Amino acid sequence: MRSPARPARSSVTAHAGAGRPAVTAGAGTGSLVVVLVAQGLTARSLLPRRTAAVFASRVESFQEPDPALRERLRAVIGQKRELLSALDPGADEALFSPDLRHALAHPWRTLRYARLAAREARLVGRRRAGPVLAFWRRTHIALALLFLLGVCVHVVLVLFFAGYVAGGGSVDWWHVTAWGG
Amino acid sequence: MPRLNLMIDLERCIGCKSCEAACKQVNGLGPHEYRTRVQWLGDPDAPDLDFLTVTCQQCERPACLRACPVSPKALAKDPDTGVVTVDEDLCTGCGECVAACPYGAMGYDPVEHHAVKCDLCAPRRAQGDGPACVSVCPTEALRFGRHDDLLADAQAAGRRVRDHDQFLQGPGTVILDRLDATEREGRDTLAGRSVPRVQDDASRRAVLSEAAVSSPYGVALPERQADRVRPGGCNICFNGCPVKFHLRGDSVVGILGNDDDPIFGGRICPKSQMSLQMYASDQRLTQPLKRIGARGEDRFEAVSWDEALDDIATRLRRVRDEHGPEALAIYLGTRTGVLTILGYARLFQQLWGTPNMLTTQILCDESKVQALELVQGSTNLANIYTPGDIGSADLHVYIGDNQAETRPVNFGLVNGWRLERGAGMVVVDPRLTATASKADRWLAIRPGTDMALGLSLIQHLFASGRHDERFCREWVLGWEQWRDFVAAEGYTPEWAATVTGLAADAIRWLADAIAAADGCMLYLSRGINQHANATQTNRVFMFLAAMTGNWGRRGGGFYNVASEPDWGTMPVPPERRTTPRRPPAGGTVGGWTRAALEGEPYPLRALVTSNNPVGQWPDEARTRAALQAMDLVVHVELFRNATSAWADYVLPAASGIEKGGVSRLAEDRRIVWNDAMVSPPGEARSDHWIWVELGRRLGYGDVLREDYKDPAVFWDEVFRLATPDLHGVTIERLRAQPHRWLRTPIREQGAPEAGTLYLEGSTAAGQPPGRRFPTPSGCLELWTPEQEERFAGRGLSALPTFYTDAEQGEPMTWFEPAGGSTSGGLQEAGAAHPGTAEADTGFDAELVTGRPPAPQFHSWTHYFWQAQEMWPELYCQLHPDRARALGVDDGDDVRVETSAGALSARAWITRGIRPDSVFVPIGWGEGQPWHPSRSVNRLTRGRQDPYCGQPNLKLHRCRISRA
């Protein structure tokens, strides 16, 4: 039973760490929020000037080309074009990047295309921006997905495995199920 | 519509960054935001310097666009033009495109958090114009057009187009390689190059985030659109480049080149454009300030103009009563404008009665002025920047003149013409400057020994009979004396090689090239003028020009910085004139500090000054002491600088189109007029207003009349009438010019503008018919008994005995003034040589000073945030051999020390400098807003030229250590 003396927020916090195996998942999800927010704020406050400073930092790209690199790129681009003709026949490879629509319609092809695109980006030198600039957004998305996953796990656990989560104790978060009632 | 692109010519680009300046103003970009940027590329293994303009390549397969994760994408590629654009409203600022672009050509706005990129100036294109960067480029290194047309033009010109499609993105920008790219033993022009840290260190630019940025920077397009455009001229340096001021209400929102100009065609350098940041700077002085602390404490209170000027007048009267009128010194920089220097202040000087008035000319080109008056009888230089004159030269020789960095627009004209004609270019300089990087040959001369080079060129040409005998006989007075003298003294190339550090063969080659050229232009500048042998070195190269017939002809001549009309005296009624009873106190800034500190020959007690004596004069510590010793120091300036702290009053000045008038003297005799177009900030007033008001308080209102506050009235009624060369330059005629300039001399109203002067068969302005040169003899006068007498009075001879700065590290003939006056004599190399003695005590390097790259100009531009973004910190160029011995890496802080003082600077390691030399630029100073530093004149204490008094600012003994 819900204790009327406890505010709802405290209850949620409390039950997130209630069950033993769930302690890790709950705490991890909670920590993820903090990390996600911190990373986002850091990126927005500290990275912009570093991002701006990338401009004109790749003068070596204006050197005469390395034939071997071009050959490898040519192969990747060829594969992309071939795959694209099946993924989105009307699209122009030069401007194309897959979106949710492609992922839903052709998940496997989209994944393969994305991997080819990532390979091209790697050959083109995306990482020369430095790991922080090159990967902060991807890390941010990964963390967000993890958080989302954690929330889903949490919801499933507290709804359908309440006794397990309570670790044998009293289940005092039935206000959640009361929403439906 | 066909694919549109830029074409970048590596042969023409001089790294001036004018394109960056245009891009930021036209697109409203603030600090850290770039759509284009020029990188300087040094070569760690060879003395080489190139410049690369980095901007969006408008790729066929744009990696940025594919990387954009936003849906719909914030980046788009125009299917017709191929131009890739960013929708800043859609952009989330994730930076994926920045990381993705292989060329590092995607910018980012760190304040608004969105991508920034070149769209080839879409708003300008919509109005039928082209990209702003192309419109201003001083060297025409940038072109814009249809991709296929650009390629066709490159092919037609036989130029090699770089293949820089490393990543199969299909970059559209056409990059033309250096002309000698194939001569570099197959080595890629850009391979292995490195950007000097001092030019590209984002961490040092961080302070600019705090800069107060105002329109047109950082504001939306509607807020920076002009409501009117007016022609005028840039007032910063000697080029006087024609510009168009874009005005909105009472603000300047744009400064671009004047594309109506028949010669300049819209070319301007970054300084002209960044003067926008002067007009709207929050660093400007806006109120008269009165000192309330001790001198040097920099504590002031704001006062009214009346209070300030009344008190100044009272204290000036007191100085006059106690010490005589000569106790007042007036020092004016070219910042104050020609009308002030040669008009208002000259009237004041005559009314007051002091002989002590100097301008920055004493530090800049006094030696050239005096040499030119001796040789030619006029300071009007012969040649002009037109295709038919300078553009027709077969050979351009720069000696101590870094024109590409100091006057980029003029260099752009010269280099363009010479590339079209296939003319040659040689640069003689201790450093591989931007100018030298464009030359066919760089001769790395020992600083201060150019006179020896000139003498040996003369000797070799006489010895080989390659002089222009007819011209010498008909037009050069004293040429035989010179010929016999250089032969007798043994000034051979072999002798010069030991002095200059150049190979004798290289000297002979240069002499032969000059003689063989159908027209050779010799350009000298501060690299010659700022040495103790400057007058003689100027005369030597004047002789070289004359003996090869390169004087008074199109495509051949002698040049040295600004060209001045032959000034008349400002009209003061005799009864109102106060004749000084005592001669000038030395006639040099060194003489002034002595008079202030030691009272010799008499005490100087008051100084009215503009500019920045503390930063500009040699021996900064002594300058501070001299200011400290004075009863009254009045400083009139735009910004507070190092001198302000030592002043009793700091008066806020107006500038450029805030005050109007003639700004500077262009080096090709152009008088450039500006109308006053906007209000000065706060209570700032024009120098014209200040001199009239001060004069009125001292009882000079009948001469310095109230209506003369209007510079147009003063010009028409007083100024131009005082100088015959300017009689025909009326305000009405100036204003009728779409480019606002006229080339003088124009001695009568309605007379045509002057072209090349002193042509064969012509008569010099104001001379009797048939007198080609305005000297007493009508010839170029290199030696006369009268000249010999004048030189003898200063311990020299009119015949050019070689000597150099006493600060040379090896024993060479030098000049020792006797008893502190300017009369003394030459000392033989074996005598106790000051420089050698210093070298023996550890001062083992040659300190060379000079101008930094094009965006900087003295201390002015250090208040422009964008100039600081381009070249932030004081630097010290040194050779890798020296750096290695010291354990110094590029970008490290080093300490530079001379017997006069020390400072700290960032190391720029380059093979483009003599191994024995180090270079520290001028302009940085304490109290500057973003990158304050000690002035290089903390290090200088050079002896002065015995003939003209110009001090050696260029060569000192120094030692370097890790800071």
Side-chain angles (χ1 to χ4, degrees), chain B residues 508-530:
Chain B
R508 274 189 287 271
W509 169 85
L510 178 59
D512 292 341
I514 291 171
D518 180 10
C520 171
M521 287 297 305
L522 296 176
Y523 307 87
L524 279 61
S525 188
R526 273 60 61 104
I528 300 299
N529 300 344
Q530 294 176 334

Side-chain angles (χ1 to χ4, degrees), chain A:
Chain A
M1 293 292 290
R2 180 187 172 194
S3 164
R6 283 183 176 176
R9 188 175 178 143
S10 304
S11 306
V12 172
T13 306
H15 71 232
R20 277 185 298 277
V23 167
T24 310
T29 305
S31 304
L32 270 177
V33 178
V34 176
V35 173
L36 199 57
V37 170
Q39 197 223 5
L41 287 174
T42 305
R44 279 300 184 190
S45 57
L46 298 183
L47 290 189
R49 259 208 342 262
R50 285 182 63 179
T51 310
V54 171
F55 195 92
S57 65
R58 298 172 180 175
V59 292
E60 66 279 6
S61 296
F62 292 86
Q63 292 178 18
E64 289 177 1
D66 169 7
L69 173 63
R70 285 220 284 211
E71 208 44 56
R72 282 192 287 165
L73 275 164
R74 193 167 284 122
V76 174
I77 293 166
Q79 290 171 27
K80 280 175 70 185
R81 287 187 176 140
E82 192 179 330
L83 187 56
L84 187 60
S85 61
L87 178 62
D88 191 341
D92 177 0
E93 183 277 332
L95 310 176
F96 177 80
S97 48
D99 56 21
L100 187 60
R101 183 171 56 85
H102 299 100
L104 293 175
H106 307 285
W108 178 237
R109 285 178 186 153
T110 302
L111 183 63
R112 281 174 58 207
Y113 195 92
R115 289 187 62 190
L116 285 170
R119 202 161 137 208
E120 184 191 0
R122 200 163 50 248
L123 290 171
V124 164
R126 189 176 187 282
R127 291 179 182 178
R128 281 184 298 161
V132 177
L133 291 186
F135 296 108
W136 83 265
R137 183 176 158 274
R138 290 176 187 198
T139 308
H140 196 66
I141 290 172
L143 287 172
L145 287 173
L146 267 177
F147 172 69
L148 192 63
L149 186 66
V151 169
C152 291
V153 168
H154 168 78
V155 168
V156 168
L157 286 175
V158 298
L159 287 183
F160 302 112
F161 303 94
Y164 167 75
V165 171
S170 62
V171 178
D172 58 358
W173 56 87
W174 298 115
H175 57 284
V176 178
T177 54
W179 286 351

Side-chain angles (χ1 to χ4, degrees), chain B residues 270-479:
Chain B
K271 294 186 288 291
S272 306
Q273 302 174 64
M274 293 187 298
S275 61
L276 279 166
Q277 293 154 38
M278 172 194 74
Y279 289 116
S281 171
D282 66 339
Q283 305 280 330
R284 286 284 296 275
L285 287 160
T286 56
Q287 282 183 296
L289 301 174
K290 180 181 182 180
R291 180 167 61 84
I292 54 174
R295 282 231 168 90
E297 271 187 22
D298 211 11
R299 291 175 53 220
F300 292 89
E301 65 176 4
V303 294
S304 69
W305 274 104
D306 280 340
E307 186 181 341
L309 291 173
D310 287 347
D311 190 41
I312 291 168
T314 302
R315 292 168 70 173
L316 281 175
R317 277 195 209 94
R318 196 180 307 144
V319 166
R320 182 171 58 189
D321 293 345
E322 293 176 11
H323 303 284
E326 300 87 354
L328 167 66
I330 301 170
Y331 178 75
L332 296 172
T334 40
R335 190 279 300 158
T336 62
V338 171
L339 283 183
T340 305
I341 293 174
L342 293 151
Y344 298 94
R346 295 285 175 189
L347 287 178
F348 184 94
Q349 180 194 10
Q350 291 183 68
L351 292 160
W352 175 269
T354 178
N356 295 309
M357 180 167 165
L358 289 173
T359 70
T360 36
Q361 180 172 301
I362 192 67
L363 306 174
C364 181
D365 65 342
E366 181 71 26
S367 51
K368 176 265 298 190
V369 167
Q370 295 206 23
L372 210 52
E373 283 169 350
L374 284 171
V375 172
Q376 187 185 244
S378 167
T379 47
N380 279 308
L381 292 167
N383 302 88
I384 55 176
Y385 284 90
T386 59
D389 188 344
I390 289 177
S392 68
D394 259 5
L395 179 64
H396 303 268
V397 182
Y398 291 91
I399 305 157
D401 182 5
N402 181 10
Q403 192 182 43
E405 292 177 68
T406 55
R407 290 105 67 218
V409 177
N410 280 359
F411 182 79
L413 292 169
V414 171
N415 199 37
W417 290 324
R418 78 131 187 150
L419 289 173
E420 284 162 22
R421 285 177 52 83
M425 183 182 287
V426 179
V427 171
V428 180
D429 199 296
R431 294 191 301 138
L432 181 79
T433 59
T435 312
S437 76
K438 298 297 163 193
D440 302 307
R441 193 157 180 181
W442 167 48
L443 300 177
I445 194 170
R446 185 198 306 274
T449 63
D450 307 82
M451 184 178 176
L453 170 65
L455 289 169
S456 63
L457 294 173
I458 291 167
Q459 189 277 340
H460 176 72
L461 289 176
F462 274 131
S464 57
R466 303 199 69 182
H467 60 289
D468 187 333
E469 177 99 11
R470 188 187 68 84
F471 189 89
C472 287
R473 287 190 184 285
E474 292 181 14
W475 300 111
V476 184
L477 220 56
W479 73 275

Side-chain angles (χ1 to χ4, degrees), chain B residues 649-671:
Chain B
Y649 282 95
V650 180
L651 304 181
S655 186
I657 58 169
E658 292 164 355
K659 67 176 189 178
V662 173
S663 52
R664 310 292 285 259
L665 293 164
E667 66 182 72
D668 60 346
R669 292 185 269 110
R670 285 175 302 112
I671 296 290

Side-chain angles (χ1 to χ4, degrees), chain B residues 487-652:
Chain B
E489 292 293 314
Y491 290 143
T492 62
E494 281 70 20
W495 163 80
T498 64
V499 175
T500 61
L502 302 175
D505 282 346
I507 296 172
R508 274 189 287 271
W509 169 85
L510 178 59
D512 292 341
I514 291 171
D518 180 10
C520 171
M521 287 297 305
L522 296 176
Y523 307 87
L524 279 61
S525 188
R526 273 60 61 104
I528 300 299
N529 300 344
Q530 294 176 334
H531 286 286
N533 58 5
T535 309
Q536 290 291 55
T537 307
N538 268 290
R539 291 179 72 238
V540 164
F541 283 101
M542 287 176 188
F543 187 85
L544 179 66
M547 75 177 291
T548 51
N550 286 301
W551 206 301
R553 62 158 289 175
R554 296 185 181 92
F558 171 91
Y559 241 82
N560 189 328
V561 208
S563 181
E564 301 186 31
D566 297 312
W567 301 110
T569 305
M570 282 291 113
V572 174
E575 69 278 10
R576 299 290 284 120
R577 198 177 296 147
T578 304
T579 304
R581 284 169 295 148
R582 293 177 283 189
T588 67
V589 292
W592 282 10
T593 51
R594 180 166 169 257
L597 290 169
E598 299 162 22
E600 293 292 336
Y602 53 83
L604 273 188
R605 304 307 310 165
L607 174 69
V608 177
T609 181
S610 68
N611 289 47
N612 184 10
V614 170
Q616 283 181 329
W617 295 2
D619 199 345
E620 185 186 308
R622 191 167 167 84
T623 304
R624 287 177 198 264
L627 297 182
Q628 173 81 50
M630 293 207 177
D631 295 335
L632 176 67
V633 176
V634 179
H635 187 214
V636 186
E637 254 313 315
L638 308 175
F639 302 99
R640 268 167 96 152
N641 60 35
T643 301
S644 306
W646 301 85
D648 296 279
Y649 282 95
V650 180
L651 304 181

Side-chain angles (χ1 to χ4, degrees), chain B residues 40-49 192-199 431-432 871 875-894 905-915 917-919 960 962:
Chain B
W40 283 44
L41 304 175
D43 190 329
D45 302 319
D48 224 336
L49 181 62
R193 296 306 189 88
S194 59
V195 180
R197 288 281 287 164
V198 72
Q199 189 239 260
R431 294 191 301 138
L432 181 79
W871 290 99
Y875 59 83
C876 171
Q877 284 184 319
L878 64 163
H879 193 274
D881 293 350
R882 183 175 295 275
R884 199 176 307 115
L886 295 168
V888 170
D889 288 327
D890 191 61
D892 286 352
D893 287 330
V894 293
R906 262 191 121 181
W908 174 353
I909 299 171
T910 170
R911 290 196 179 273
I913 191 167
R914 276 169 47 83
S917 300
V918 301
F919 172 80
I960 314 292
R962 283 180 66 97

Side-chain angles (χ1 to χ4, degrees), chain B residues 31 121 135 242 293 337 382 424 441 564 678 698 711 719 727 773 777 780 832 844 886 908 913 924-925 950:
Chain B
C121 283
S135 78
R441 193 157 180 181
E564 301 186 31
V678 296
L698 291 165
F719 194 93
H727 277 185
F773 298 103
S777 64
L780 298 173
D844 60 341
L886 295 168
W908 174 353
I913 191 167
W924 275 262
Q950 182 157 358

